[in-house]
Coordinates of all heavy atoms in Angstrom, one line a residue:
M1 N -10.4 10.4 -24.5 CA -10.9 11.1 -23.3 C -11.0 10.0 -22.2 O -11.4 8.9 -22.4 CB -12.2 11.7 -23.6 CG -12.8 12.4 -22.4 SD -14.3 13.3 -22.9 CE -14.5 14.3 -21.5
A2 N -10.6 10.5 -21.0 CA -10.6 9.6 -19.8 C -11.9 9.5 -19.2 O -12.7 10.5 -19.2 CB -9.5 10.1 -18.8
Q3 N -12.2 8.4 -18.6 CA -13.5 8.2 -17.8 C -13.1 8.2 -16.3 O -12.2 7.6 -15.9 CB -14.1 6.9 -18.2 CG -15.4 6.6 -17.5 CD -16.0 5.3 -18.0 OE1 -15.3 4.4 -18.5 NE2 -17.3 5.1 -17.7
V4 N -13.9 9.1 -15.6 CA -13.6 9.2 -14.1 C -14.7 8.5 -13.4 O -15.9 8.8 -13.6 CB -13.5 10.7 -13.7 CG1 -13.2 10.8 -12.2 CG2 -12.4 11.3 -14.5
K5 N -14.3 7.6 -12.4 CA -15.3 6.9 -11.5 C -14.9 7.2 -10.1 O -13.7 7.4 -9.8 CB -15.2 5.4 -11.7 CG -15.7 5.0 -13.1 CD -17.2 4.9 -13.1 CE -17.7 4.2 -14.4 NZ -19.1 4.1 -14.4
Q6 N -15.8 7.3 -9.2 CA -15.5 7.5 -7.8 C -16.2 6.4 -7.0 O -17.4 6.0 -7.3 CB -16.0 8.9 -7.4 CG -15.1 9.9 -8.0 CD -15.6 11.3 -7.7 OE1 -16.7 11.6 -7.3 NE2 -14.7 12.3 -7.8
L7 N -15.5 5.9 -6.0 CA -16.0 4.9 -5.1 C -16.2 5.5 -3.7 O -15.2 6.0 -3.1 CB -15.0 3.7 -5.0 CG -15.3 2.6 -4.0 CD1 -16.7 1.9 -4.2 CD2 -14.2 1.6 -3.9
L8 N -17.4 5.4 -3.2 CA -17.7 5.8 -1.8 C -17.9 4.6 -1.0 O -18.7 3.7 -1.3 CB -19.0 6.7 -1.8 CG -19.5 7.0 -0.4 CD1 -18.5 7.9 0.3 CD2 -20.9 7.7 -0.5
R9 N -17.1 4.4 0.0 CA -17.2 3.3 1.0 C -17.8 3.8 2.3 O -17.3 4.8 2.8 CB -15.9 2.7 1.3 CG -15.4 1.7 0.3 CD -14.3 0.8 0.8 NE -13.7 0.1 -0.3 CZ -12.5 0.4 -0.8 NH1 -11.8 1.4 -0.4 NH2 -12.1 -0.4 -1.8
I10 N -18.9 3.2 2.7 CA -19.6 3.6 3.9 C -19.4 2.4 4.9 O -19.8 1.3 4.6 CB -21.1 3.9 3.6 CG1 -21.2 5.0 2.6 CG2 -21.8 4.3 4.9 CD1 -22.5 5.1 2.0
Y11 N -18.9 2.7 6.1 CA -18.7 1.7 7.1 C -19.8 1.9 8.2 O -20.0 3.0 8.8 CB -17.3 1.9 7.8 CG -16.2 1.9 6.7 CD1 -15.7 3.0 6.1 CD2 -15.6 0.7 6.4 CE1 -14.7 3.0 5.2 CE2 -14.6 0.6 5.4 CZ -14.2 1.8 4.8 OH -13.2 1.7 3.9
L12 N -20.5 0.8 8.5 CA -21.6 0.8 9.4 C -21.2 0.3 10.8 O -20.3 -0.5 10.9 CB -22.8 0.0 8.8 CG -23.3 0.5 7.5 CD1 -24.4 -0.4 7.0 CD2 -23.7 1.9 7.5
K13 N -22.0 0.6 11.8 CA -21.7 0.2 13.2 C -21.8 -1.4 13.2 O -21.2 -2.0 14.1 CB -22.7 0.8 14.1 CG -22.5 2.3 14.4 CD -23.6 2.8 15.3 CE -23.4 4.3 15.5 NZ -24.5 4.9 16.3
S14 N -22.6 -2.0 12.4 CA -22.8 -3.4 12.4 C -21.6 -4.2 11.9 O -21.6 -5.4 12.0 CB -24.0 -3.8 11.6 OG -23.8 -3.5 10.2
G15 N -20.6 -3.4 11.3 CA -19.5 -4.1 10.7 C -19.6 -4.3 9.2 O -18.6 -4.7 8.6
Q16 N -20.7 -4.0 8.7 CA -20.9 -4.1 7.2 C -20.3 -2.9 6.5 O -20.3 -1.8 7.1 CB -22.4 -4.2 6.9 CG -23.0 -5.5 7.4 CD -24.5 -5.6 7.1 OE1 -25.2 -4.6 7.3 NE2 -24.9 -6.7 6.6
N17 N -19.9 -3.1 5.3 CA -19.4 -2.0 4.5 C -20.3 -1.9 3.2 O -20.6 -2.9 2.6 CB -18.0 -2.2 4.1 CG -17.1 -2.3 5.2 OD1 -17.3 -1.7 6.3 ND2 -16.0 -3.0 5.1
I18 N -20.6 -0.7 2.8 CA -21.4 -0.5 1.6 C -20.5 0.3 0.6 O -19.9 1.2 0.9 CB -22.7 0.3 1.8 CG1 -23.5 -0.5 2.8 CG2 -23.4 0.6 0.6 CD1 -24.7 0.3 3.3
E19 N -20.4 -0.2 -0.6 CA -19.7 0.5 -1.7 C -20.6 1.0 -2.7 O -21.4 0.2 -3.3 CB -18.6 -0.5 -2.3 CG -17.5 -0.9 -1.4 CD -16.5 -1.8 -2.1 OE1 -16.7 -2.2 -3.2 OE2 -15.4 -1.9 -1.5
V20 N -20.5 2.3 -3.1 CA -21.3 2.9 -4.0 C -20.4 3.6 -5.1 O -19.6 4.4 -4.7 CB -22.3 4.0 -3.4 CG1 -23.3 4.5 -4.4 CG2 -23.0 3.4 -2.2
W21 N -20.6 3.2 -6.4 CA -19.8 3.8 -7.5 C -20.6 4.9 -8.1 O -21.8 4.9 -8.3 CB -19.6 2.7 -8.5 CG -18.5 1.7 -8.1 CD1 -18.7 0.5 -7.5 CD2 -17.1 1.9 -8.2 NE1 -17.5 -0.1 -7.2 CE2 -16.5 0.7 -7.7 CE3 -16.3 2.8 -8.8 CZ2 -15.1 0.5 -7.7 CZ3 -14.9 2.6 -8.7 CH2 -14.4 1.5 -8.2
F22 N -19.8 5.9 -8.5 CA -20.4 7.1 -9.2 C -19.6 7.5 -10.4 O -18.4 7.2 -10.4 CB -20.4 8.3 -8.2 CG -21.2 8.2 -7.0 CD1 -20.7 7.7 -5.8 CD2 -22.5 8.6 -7.0 CE1 -21.4 7.5 -4.7 CE2 -23.3 8.5 -5.8 CZ -22.7 7.9 -4.7
N23 N -20.2 8.1 -11.4 CA -19.5 8.7 -12.4 C -19.2 10.1 -11.9 O -19.9 10.7 -11.1 CB -20.4 8.8 -13.7 CG -20.7 7.5 -14.3 OD1 -19.8 6.6 -14.4 ND2 -21.9 7.3 -14.8
A24 N -18.1 10.6 -12.5 CA -17.6 12.0 -12.0 C -17.2 12.8 -13.2 O -16.8 12.2 -14.2 CB -16.5 11.9 -11.0
E25 N -17.2 14.1 -13.1 CA -16.8 15.0 -14.1 C -15.3 15.1 -14.2 O -14.6 15.1 -15.2 CB -17.4 16.4 -14.0 CG -18.9 16.4 -14.1 CD -19.4 16.1 -15.5 OE1 -18.7 16.6 -16.5 OE2 -20.4 15.4 -15.7
K26 N -14.7 15.3 -12.9 CA -13.3 15.6 -12.8 C -12.7 14.7 -11.7 O -13.4 14.3 -10.8 CB -13.0 17.0 -12.4 CG -13.5 18.0 -13.5 CD -13.2 19.4 -13.0 CE -13.7 20.4 -14.0 NZ -13.5 21.8 -13.6
L27 N -11.4 14.4 -11.9 CA -10.7 13.5 -11.0 C -10.6 14.1 -9.6 O -10.8 13.4 -8.6 CB -9.3 13.2 -11.5 CG -8.5 12.1 -10.9 CD1 -9.3 10.7 -11.0 CD2 -7.2 11.9 -11.5
N28 N -10.4 15.4 -9.4 CA -10.2 16.0 -8.1 C -11.5 16.6 -7.5 O -11.4 17.3 -6.5 CB -9.1 17.0 -8.0 CG -8.3 17.2 -9.3 OD1 -8.5 16.4 -10.2 ND2 -7.4 18.1 -9.3
E29 N -12.6 16.4 -8.1 CA -13.9 16.9 -7.6 C -14.8 15.8 -7.3 O -15.1 15.0 -8.2 CB -14.6 17.9 -8.6 CG -14.0 19.3 -8.6 CD -14.8 20.2 -9.6 OE1 -16.0 20.0 -9.7 OE2 -14.1 21.1 -10.1
L30 N -15.4 15.7 -6.1 CA -16.3 14.7 -5.7 C -17.6 14.9 -6.4 O -18.1 16.0 -6.6 CB -16.5 14.6 -4.2 CG -15.3 14.1 -3.4 CD1 -15.6 14.2 -1.9 CD2 -14.9 12.7 -3.8
N31 N -18.3 13.8 -6.7 CA -19.6 13.8 -7.2 C -20.5 14.5 -6.2 O -20.4 14.4 -5.0 CB -20.1 12.3 -7.4 CG -21.5 12.2 -7.9 OD1 -22.4 12.5 -7.2 ND2 -21.6 11.7 -9.1
P32 N -21.5 15.3 -6.7 CA -22.4 16.1 -5.8 C -23.1 15.3 -4.8 O -23.3 15.7 -3.7 CB -23.4 16.8 -6.8 CG -22.6 16.8 -8.1 CD -21.7 15.6 -8.1
Q33 N -23.5 14.0 -5.1 CA -24.2 13.2 -4.2 C -23.2 12.8 -3.0 O -23.6 12.7 -1.9 CB -24.7 11.9 -4.8 CG -25.9 12.1 -5.6 CD -26.6 10.8 -6.0 OE1 -27.2 10.2 -5.2 NE2 -26.5 10.4 -7.3
I34 N -22.0 12.6 -3.3 CA -21.0 12.2 -2.3 C -20.8 13.4 -1.4 O -20.8 13.3 -0.1 CB -19.6 11.8 -2.9 CG1 -19.8 10.5 -3.7 CG2 -18.6 11.6 -1.8 CD1 -18.5 10.1 -4.4
N35 N -20.6 14.6 -1.9 CA -20.5 15.8 -1.1 C -21.7 16.0 -0.2 O -21.5 16.4 1.0 CB -20.3 17.1 -2.0 CG -18.9 17.3 -2.5 OD1 -18.0 16.9 -1.7 ND2 -18.7 17.9 -3.6
K36 N -22.9 15.9 -0.8 CA -24.1 16.1 0.0 C -24.2 15.0 1.2 O -24.5 15.4 2.3 CB -25.3 16.0 -0.8 CG -26.6 16.3 -0.1 CD -27.8 16.4 -1.0 CE -29.0 16.7 -0.2 NZ -30.2 16.8 -1.0
F37 N -23.8 13.8 0.9 CA -23.8 12.8 1.9 C -22.8 13.1 3.1 O -23.2 13.0 4.2 CB -23.4 11.4 1.3 CG -23.3 10.3 2.3 CD1 -24.4 9.7 2.9 CD2 -22.1 9.8 2.7 CE1 -24.3 8.7 3.8 CE2 -21.9 8.8 3.6 CZ -23.0 8.2 4.2
L38 N -21.6 13.6 2.7 CA -20.6 13.9 3.7 C -21.1 15.1 4.5 O -20.8 15.2 5.7 CB -19.3 14.2 3.0 CG -18.6 13.0 2.3 CD1 -17.4 13.4 1.6 CD2 -18.4 11.8 3.3
E39 N -21.7 16.1 3.9 CA -22.3 17.2 4.7 C -23.3 16.8 5.7 O -23.4 17.3 6.8 CB -22.8 18.3 3.7 CG -21.8 19.0 2.9 CD -20.8 19.8 3.8 OE1 -21.3 20.4 4.8 OE2 -19.6 19.8 3.6
E40 N -24.2 15.9 5.2 CA -25.3 15.3 6.1 C -24.6 14.6 7.3 O -25.2 14.6 8.4 CB -26.2 14.4 5.4 CG -27.1 15.2 4.4 CD -28.1 16.1 5.0 OE1 -28.7 15.8 6.1 OE2 -28.3 17.2 4.5
L41 N -23.5 13.9 7.1 CA -22.9 13.2 8.2 C -22.3 14.1 9.2 O -22.2 13.7 10.4 CB -21.7 12.3 7.6 CG -22.1 10.9 7.1 CD1 -20.8 10.2 6.6 CD2 -22.8 10.1 8.1
K42 N -22.0 15.3 8.8 CA -21.4 16.3 9.8 C -22.4 16.8 10.8 O -22.0 17.4 11.8 CB -20.7 17.4 9.0 CG -19.5 17.0 8.2 CD -18.9 18.2 7.5 CE -17.8 17.8 6.6 NZ -17.3 18.9 5.7
K43 N -23.7 16.7 10.4 CA -24.7 17.3 11.3 C -24.7 16.5 12.7 O -24.5 15.3 12.7 CB -26.1 17.1 10.7 CG -26.4 18.0 9.5 CD -27.8 17.7 9.1 CE -28.1 18.6 7.9 NZ -29.5 18.4 7.4
K44 N -24.9 17.3 13.7 CA -24.8 16.7 15.1 C -26.1 15.9 15.4 O -26.0 14.8 15.9 CB -24.6 17.8 16.1 CG -23.3 18.4 16.1 CD -23.0 19.4 17.2 CE -21.6 19.9 17.1 NZ -21.3 20.8 18.1
D45 N -27.2 16.4 15.0 CA -28.5 15.7 15.3 C -28.9 15.0 14.0 O -29.7 15.5 13.2 CB -29.6 16.7 15.8 CG -30.8 16.0 16.2 OD1 -30.8 14.8 16.6 OD2 -31.9 16.6 16.1
K46 N -28.5 13.7 13.9 CA -28.9 12.9 12.7 C -29.6 11.6 13.1 O -29.8 10.7 12.3 CB -27.7 12.6 11.9 CG -26.5 12.0 12.6 CD -25.3 11.9 11.7 CE -24.2 11.3 12.5 NZ -22.9 12.0 12.3
E47 N -30.1 11.6 14.3 CA -30.8 10.4 14.8 C -32.1 10.2 13.9 O -32.9 11.1 13.7 CB -31.3 10.6 16.2 CG -31.8 9.3 16.8 CD -32.1 9.4 18.3 OE1 -31.5 10.3 18.9 OE2 -32.9 8.7 18.8
N48 N -32.2 8.9 13.4 CA -33.3 8.5 12.5 C -33.4 9.2 11.2 O -34.4 9.1 10.6 CB -34.6 8.6 13.3 CG -34.6 7.6 14.5 OD1 -34.1 6.5 14.4 ND2 -35.2 8.1 15.6
E49 N -32.4 9.9 10.8 CA -32.4 10.6 9.5 C -31.9 9.6 8.4 O -31.0 8.8 8.7 CB -31.5 11.8 9.4 CG -32.1 13.0 10.1 CD -31.4 14.3 9.8 OE1 -30.9 14.4 8.6 OE2 -31.2 15.1 10.7
I50 N -32.5 9.6 7.3 CA -32.2 8.7 6.2 C -31.6 9.5 5.0 O -32.1 10.6 4.7 CB -33.5 7.9 5.7 CG1 -34.1 7.2 6.8 CG2 -33.1 7.0 4.5 CD1 -33.4 5.9 7.3
F51 N -30.6 9.0 4.4 CA -30.0 9.6 3.2 C -30.3 8.7 2.0 O -30.1 7.5 2.1 CB -28.5 9.9 3.4 CG -27.9 10.7 2.2 CD1 -27.9 12.0 2.3 CD2 -27.4 10.1 1.1 CE1 -27.4 12.8 1.2 CE2 -26.9 10.8 0.0 CZ -26.9 12.2 0.1
E52 N -30.7 9.3 0.9 CA -31.1 8.6 -0.3 C -30.1 8.9 -1.4 O -29.9 10.1 -1.7 CB -32.5 9.0 -0.7 CG -33.0 8.3 -1.9 CD -34.4 8.7 -2.4 OE1 -35.2 9.0 -1.5 OE2 -34.6 8.8 -3.6
F53 N -29.5 7.8 -1.9 CA -28.7 8.0 -3.1 C -29.6 7.6 -4.3 O -30.2 6.6 -4.3 CB -27.5 7.0 -3.1 CG -26.4 7.4 -2.1 CD1 -26.3 6.7 -0.9 CD2 -25.6 8.4 -2.4 CE1 -25.3 7.0 0.0 CE2 -24.6 8.8 -1.5 CZ -24.5 8.1 -0.3
G54 N -29.7 8.5 -5.3 CA -30.5 8.2 -6.5 C -29.5 7.7 -7.6 O -28.3 7.7 -7.5
G55 N -30.1 7.3 -8.7 CA -29.4 6.8 -9.8 C -29.9 5.5 -10.3 O -31.1 5.3 -10.2
Q56 N -29.1 4.7 -10.8 CA -29.5 3.4 -11.4 C -30.1 2.5 -10.4 O -30.9 1.7 -10.7 CB -28.4 2.7 -12.2 CG -28.0 3.4 -13.4 CD -26.9 2.7 -14.2 OE1 -26.2 1.9 -13.6 NE2 -26.7 3.1 -15.4
R57 N -29.6 2.6 -9.1 CA -30.2 1.8 -8.1 C -30.4 2.7 -6.9 O -29.6 3.6 -6.6 CB -29.3 0.6 -7.7 CG -28.0 0.9 -7.0 CD -27.3 -0.4 -6.6 NE -26.2 0.0 -5.7 CZ -25.4 -0.9 -5.2 NH1 -25.6 -2.2 -5.4 NH2 -24.5 -0.5 -4.4
L58 N -31.4 2.5 -6.1 CA -31.8 3.3 -5.0 C -31.1 2.7 -3.7 O -31.2 1.5 -3.5 CB -33.3 3.3 -4.8 CG -33.8 4.1 -3.5 CD1 -33.5 5.6 -3.7 CD2 -35.3 3.8 -3.3
I59 N -30.4 3.6 -3.0 CA -29.7 3.2 -1.8 C -30.2 4.1 -0.6 O -30.0 5.3 -0.8 CB -28.2 3.2 -1.9 CG1 -27.8 2.2 -3.0 CG2 -27.5 2.8 -0.6 CD1 -26.3 2.3 -3.3
L60 N -30.7 3.6 0.4 CA -31.0 4.3 1.6 C -30.1 4.0 2.8 O -29.9 2.8 3.0 CB -32.5 4.0 2.0 CG -33.6 4.4 1.0 CD1 -34.9 3.8 1.5 CD2 -33.6 5.8 0.7
I61 N -29.6 5.0 3.4 CA -28.7 4.8 4.5 C -29.2 5.6 5.7 O -29.5 6.8 5.6 CB -27.2 5.4 4.2 CG1 -26.7 4.8 2.9 CG2 -26.3 5.2 5.4 CD1 -26.1 3.5 3.0
R62 N -29.3 4.9 6.9 CA -29.6 5.6 8.1 C -28.4 6.2 8.7 O -27.4 5.5 9.0 CB -30.3 4.7 9.1 CG -30.9 5.4 10.3 CD -31.8 4.6 11.1 NE -31.0 3.6 11.8 CZ -31.5 2.6 12.5 NH1 -32.8 2.4 12.5 NH2 -30.7 1.8 13.1
L63 N -28.3 7.5 8.7 CA -27.1 8.3 9.0 C -26.5 7.9 10.4 O -25.3 7.9 10.6 CB -27.3 9.8 8.9 CG -27.6 10.2 7.5 CD1 -27.9 11.7 7.4 CD2 -26.4 9.9 6.6
D64 N -27.3 7.7 11.4 CA -26.7 7.4 12.7 C -26.1 6.0 12.8 O -25.5 5.6 13.8 CB -27.7 7.6 13.8 CG -29.0 6.9 13.7 OD1 -29.3 6.3 12.7 OD2 -29.8 6.8 14.7
D65 N -26.2 5.2 11.8 CA -25.6 3.9 11.7 C -24.2 3.9 11.1 O -23.4 3.0 11.1 CB -26.4 2.9 10.9 CG -27.6 2.3 11.6 OD1 -27.6 2.4 12.8 OD2 -28.5 1.8 11.0
V66 N -23.8 5.1 10.5 CA -22.5 5.3 9.8 C -21.5 5.6 10.9 O -21.6 6.6 11.7 CB -22.6 6.4 8.8 CG1 -21.3 6.6 8.1 CG2 -23.7 6.0 7.7
I67 N -20.3 4.9 10.8 CA -19.2 5.3 11.7 C -18.1 5.9 10.9 O -17.3 6.6 11.5 CB -18.7 4.1 12.5 CG1 -18.3 2.9 11.6 CG2 -19.7 3.6 13.5 CD1 -17.5 1.8 12.3
A68 N -18.0 5.6 9.6 CA -16.9 6.2 8.8 C -17.3 6.1 7.3 O -18.2 5.3 7.0 CB -15.6 5.5 9.1
A69 N -16.6 6.9 6.5 CA -16.8 6.9 5.1 C -15.5 7.4 4.4 O -14.8 8.2 5.0 CB -18.0 7.8 4.7
D70 N -15.3 6.9 3.2 CA -14.1 7.4 2.4 C -14.5 7.3 1.0 O -15.4 6.6 0.6 CB -12.8 6.7 2.7 CG -12.8 5.2 2.3 OD1 -13.4 4.8 1.3 OD2 -12.2 4.4 3.0
A71 N -13.9 8.2 0.2 CA -14.1 8.3 -1.2 C -12.8 8.3 -2.0 O -11.8 8.9 -1.5 CB -14.9 9.5 -1.5
M72 N -12.8 7.5 -3.1 CA -11.6 7.5 -3.9 C -12.0 7.7 -5.4 O -13.1 7.3 -5.8 CB -10.9 6.1 -3.8 CG -10.4 5.8 -2.4 SD -9.5 4.3 -2.1 CE -9.8 3.3 -3.5
S73 N -11.1 8.4 -6.1 CA -11.3 8.6 -7.5 C -10.4 7.7 -8.4 O -9.3 7.5 -8.0 CB -11.1 10.1 -7.9 OG -12.0 10.9 -7.2
F74 N -11.0 7.3 -9.5 CA -10.2 6.5 -10.4 C -10.4 7.0 -11.8 O -11.5 7.5 -12.2 CB -10.7 5.0 -10.4 CG -10.6 4.3 -9.1 CD1 -11.7 4.4 -8.2 CD2 -9.5 3.6 -8.8 CE1 -11.6 3.8 -7.0 CE2 -9.4 3.0 -7.5 CZ -10.5 3.1 -6.6
E75 N -9.3 7.0 -12.6 CA -9.4 7.5 -14.0 C -9.0 6.3 -14.9 O -8.0 5.7 -14.8 CB -8.4 8.7 -14.2 CG -8.5 9.3 -15.5 CD -7.6 10.5 -15.6 OE1 -6.5 10.5 -14.9 OE2 -7.9 11.4 -16.4
K76 N -9.9 6.1 -15.9 CA -9.6 5.1 -16.9 C -9.3 5.8 -18.2 O -10.2 6.4 -18.7 CB -10.8 4.1 -17.0 CG -10.5 3.0 -18.0 CD -11.7 2.1 -18.1 CE -11.4 1.0 -19.2 NZ -12.6 0.2 -19.4
K77 N -8.1 5.6 -18.6 CA -7.7 6.3 -19.9 C -8.1 5.4 -21.1 O -7.9 4.2 -21.0 CB -6.3 6.7 -19.9 CG -6.0 7.7 -18.8 CD -4.5 8.1 -18.9 CE -4.3 9.2 -17.8 NZ -2.9 9.7 -17.8
E78 N -8.5 6.0 -22.1 CA -8.8 5.3 -23.3 C -7.5 4.8 -24.0 O -6.5 5.6 -24.0 CB -9.6 6.2 -24.3 CG -10.9 6.7 -23.8 CD -12.0 5.7 -23.9 OE1 -11.9 4.8 -24.8 OE2 -12.9 5.7 -23.1
T79 N -7.5 3.6 -24.4 CA -6.3 3.1 -25.0 C -6.6 2.9 -26.5 O -7.7 2.5 -26.9 CB -5.8 1.8 -24.4 OG1 -6.8 0.8 -24.5 CG2 -5.4 2.0 -23.0
Q80 N -5.6 3.2 -27.3 CA -5.8 3.0 -28.7 C -5.5 1.5 -29.0 O -4.5 1.0 -28.5 CB -4.8 3.9 -29.5 CG -5.2 5.3 -29.5 CD -4.2 6.2 -30.3 OE1 -3.2 5.7 -30.7 NE2 -4.6 7.4 -30.6
E81 N -6.3 1.0 -29.8 CA -6.1 -0.4 -30.2 C -4.9 -0.5 -31.2 O -4.8 0.4 -32.1 CB -7.4 -1.0 -30.8 CG -8.5 -1.1 -29.8 CD -9.6 -1.9 -30.3 OE1 -9.4 -2.7 -31.3 OE2 -10.7 -1.8 -29.8
P82 N -4.1 -1.5 -31.1 CA -3.0 -1.6 -32.0 C -3.5 -1.9 -33.4 O -4.5 -2.5 -33.6 CB -2.2 -2.8 -31.5 CG -3.1 -3.5 -30.6 CD -4.1 -2.5 -30.1
E83 N -2.7 -1.3 -34.4 CA -3.1 -1.6 -35.8 C -2.9 -3.0 -36.1 O -1.9 -3.6 -35.8 CB -2.3 -0.6 -36.7 CG -2.6 0.8 -36.5 CD -1.8 1.7 -37.5 OE1 -1.4 1.2 -38.5 OE2 -1.6 2.8 -37.2
V84 N -3.8 -3.6 -36.8 CA -3.7 -4.9 -37.3 C -3.2 -4.9 -38.7 O -3.7 -4.3 -39.6 CB -5.0 -5.7 -37.2 CG1 -4.9 -7.1 -37.7 CG2 -5.6 -5.7 -35.8
K85 N -2.1 -5.6 -38.9 CA -1.5 -5.7 -40.3 C -2.2 -6.8 -41.0 O -2.2 -7.9 -40.5 CB 0.0 -5.9 -40.2 CG 0.7 -4.7 -39.6 CD 2.2 -5.0 -39.6 CE 2.9 -3.8 -38.9 NZ 4.4 -4.0 -38.9
A86 N -2.6 -6.5 -42.2 CA -3.3 -7.5 -43.0 C -2.2 -8.3 -43.7 O -1.2 -7.7 -44.3 CB -4.2 -6.8 -44.0
E87 N -2.3 -9.6 -43.6 CA -1.4 -10.4 -44.3 C -2.0 -10.7 -45.7 O -3.1 -11.1 -45.9 CB -1.2 -11.8 -43.6 CG -0.5 -11.6 -42.2 CD -0.3 -12.9 -41.6 OE1 -0.2 -13.9 -42.2 OE2 -0.1 -12.9 -40.3
S88 N -1.1 -10.6 -46.7 CA -1.6 -10.9 -48.0 C -0.9 -12.1 -48.5 O 0.3 -12.4 -48.2 CB -1.3 -9.7 -49.0 OG 0.1 -9.5 -49.0
K89 N -1.6 -12.9 -49.2 CA -1.1 -14.2 -49.8 C -0.8 -13.9 -51.3 O -1.7 -13.5 -52.0 CB -2.1 -15.3 -49.7 CG -2.3 -15.7 -48.2 CD -3.2 -16.9 -48.1 CE -3.3 -17.3 -46.6 NZ -4.1 -18.5 -46.5
A90 N 0.4 -14.1 -51.6 CA 0.8 -13.9 -53.0 C 1.0 -15.2 -53.8 O 1.3 -16.2 -53.2 CB 2.1 -13.0 -53.1

């Protein structure tokens, strides 16, 4: 079974970039937190609003500091380990 990860890059007005990794169910569907973040960015009045990413680490982003964001999906396929042939000494 393949493992799907998604990377959200957030570009700030200060020139800094923030990268947040997520687990995902499917390759072509964004993680719900990424979707919610993108919806919040679309709001016209976002002055002094903070978005909180939950999970293993807490990340707070002030929405009016964001100038751009992008998300990419990655799929890691399980590989079968090659069979090891046992050498016998006769």
Side-chain angles (χ1 to χ4, degrees):
M1 181 171 191
Q3 181 181 18
V4 178
K5 295 278 190 178
Q6 292 176 339
L7 171 63
L8 173 65
R9 280 196 188 104
I10 303 167
Y11 303 92
L12 303 177
K13 291 178 183 176
S14 66
Q16 294 177 315
N17 301 332
I18 298 172
E19 293 186 347
V20 187
W21 285 93
F22 296 91
N23 291 322
E25 296 291 323
K26 296 180 183 175
L27 193 60
N28 353 355
E29 279 185 32
L30 289 177
N31 178 291
Q33 285 193 74
I34 296 174
N35 276 330
K36 187 172 180 183
F37 176 74
L38 295 175
E39 288 299 318
E40 291 293 318
L41 276 180
K42 292 178 186 177
K43 289 183 178 178
K44 290 186 180 183
D45 185 27
K46 55 188 173 220
E47 188 175 339
N48 295 323
E49 283 193 39
I50 303 287
F51 188 86
E52 177 182 327
F53 289 104
Q56 290 181 344
R57 71 177 191 177
L58 176 67
I59 300 173
L60 299 173
I61 305 279
R62 192 167 68 190
L63 293 175
D64 57 347
D65 284 341
V66 177
I67 57 170
D70 64 36
M72 297 183 345
S73 296
F74 300 90
E75 183 177 33
K76 180 180 179 183
K77 295 184 179 182
E78 299 282 330
T79 58
Q80 291 181 345
E81 293 190 23
E83 293 181 26
V84 177
K85 295 182 180 178
E87 293 183 23
S88 61
K89 292 185 179 181

